[in-house]
Amino acid sequence: MIRIFPLRITIRDTFILILLVIFNTIHVTDLANNDMDLQSKQSKLKDDSNKNNFNFNSNEDYFKSCPINQENVSDCASLNYPCINCYRADIDCVYGALYNYTCDVKPKIVCNGSKTFNRTAMCRFCYQTDKWEHRCEQKSSCNSLASPTKYYLTNCTVSDDVICLGKRKFLKKIKCSWTSGTRWGTALVLALTLGGFGADRFYLGHWQEGIGKLFSFGGLGVWTLVDALLIGIHHLGPADGSVYI
């Protein structure tokens, strides 16, 4: 006959288990950070190799967003890029000052009025525009929670209604900050209510630690309180390196 002995877990065993899980978490986090750093470096090398391969001036792409027939014809002076080209004969100007730009409507574009007109805009290159005046491609191959803060190179495009000097597409180094939709409030509520079962760890993607909390009943409450504190101060975040929303 098989005898079943009761499982006894002492407080000492619980603290040892918690320490082992914490050390494992630190090791896994370091490996994830190194992997993300490697991916960021590879992405940077790829961007640098393609730096001179951009096609900024296509001869036919603007047909898709510009009027080329007699339907819904608008005034030429109301058109924006890519339907027009604006330039200054002399780029020697004072940064931030307002100057007149000469704008020409591109060939085959149908509009009312003169196809050459002037617009007033600030003297600056396109890469000097404010962050709300251009759109940048967001990347999720970096760790938003890394310390020190990580940055990456990405492609940015100036908005169609902005007039500036130089190329309208440029490379810019921006802060690594992306989100996968994980909510801080949800994580904190799970830590305070179901933290003893590892629900907060499972929600954040730390499934290994979640299993440890589940079978240790939240480290007899100690681990639950520690995780609630770490989530509350934003020290413990999603496992994929993203930020809370």
Side-chain angles (χ1 to χ4, degrees), residues 12-41:
R12 177 185 176 184
D13 295 334
T14 302
F15 279 111
I16 293 176
L17 178 61
I18 293 175
L19 290 176
L20 289 175
V21 173
I22 292 175
F23 287 139
N24 181 68
T25 303
I26 296 174
H27 179 66
V28 172
T29 303
D30 291 340
L31 291 177
N33 290 339
N34 292 335
D35 182 63
M36 289 183 179
D37 291 342
L38 179 60
Q39 293 179 1
S40 299
K41 291 179 180 178

Side-chain angles (χ1 to χ4, degrees), residues 217-230:
F217 301 102
L220 299 181
V222 177
W223 196 352
T224 301
L225 294 177
V226 171
D227 276 356
L229 177 62
L230 294 178

Side-chain angles (χ1 to χ4, degrees), residues 21-164:
V21 173
I22 292 175
F23 287 139
N24 181 68
T25 303
I26 296 174
H27 179 66
V28 172
T29 303
D30 291 340
L31 291 177
N33 290 339
N34 292 335
D35 182 63
M36 289 183 179
D37 291 342
L38 179 60
Q39 293 179 1
S40 299
K41 291 179 180 178
Q42 292 175 348
S43 177
K44 180 180 179 180
L45 291 175
K46 183 177 179 181
D47 291 339
D48 292 341
S49 63
N50 295 331
K51 185 175 181 180
N52 297 322
N53 294 331
F54 297 123
N55 184 13
F56 295 125
N57 297 317
S58 176
N59 294 327
E60 298 181 357
D61 288 346
Y62 66 88
F63 289 160
K64 300 177 182 179
S65 55
C66 299
I68 57 175
N69 50 49
Q70 297 297 331
E71 298 179 1
N72 300 324
V73 178
S74 59
D75 294 335
C76 296
S78 64
L79 296 177
N80 292 320
Y81 183 85
C83 304
I84 59 176
N85 281 325
C86 297
Y87 57 91
R88 275 182 48 81
D90 184 11
I91 64 173
D92 185 13
C93 56
V94 179
Y95 171 76
L98 298 178
Y99 292 87
N100 286 328
Y101 286 76
T102 301
C103 299
D104 295 329
V105 179
K106 291 185 177 181
K108 299 182 181 180
I109 300 299
V110 179
C111 59
N112 296 325
S114 175
K115 291 192 174 184
T116 300
F117 53 90
N118 293 328
R119 277 189 181 174
T120 302
M122 186 183 300
C123 174
R124 57 183 174 175
F125 286 96
C126 294
Y127 66 85
Q128 295 175 317
T129 54
D130 294 321
K131 61 182 181 180
W132 58 82
E133 295 178 311
H134 54 257
R135 305 175 301 275
C136 297
E137 297 179 5
Q138 298 293 327
K139 296 182 180 180
S140 59
S141 59
C142 59
N143 188 1
S144 301
L145 304 177
S147 180
T149 305
K150 298 293 183 181
Y151 291 83
Y152 64 92
L153 283 174
T154 187
N155 299 324
C156 298
T157 305
V158 180
S159 301
D160 294 343
D161 59 338
V162 175
I163 297 177
C164 54

Side-chain angles (χ1 to χ4, degrees), residues 185-212:
T186 303
L188 184 59
V189 170
L190 290 175
L192 295 175
T193 57
L194 300 175
F197 302 99
D200 52 338
R201 287 282 184 169
F202 287 119
Y203 176 70
L204 295 175
H206 303 283
W207 60 271
Q208 293 177 330
E209 293 81 359
I211 294 175

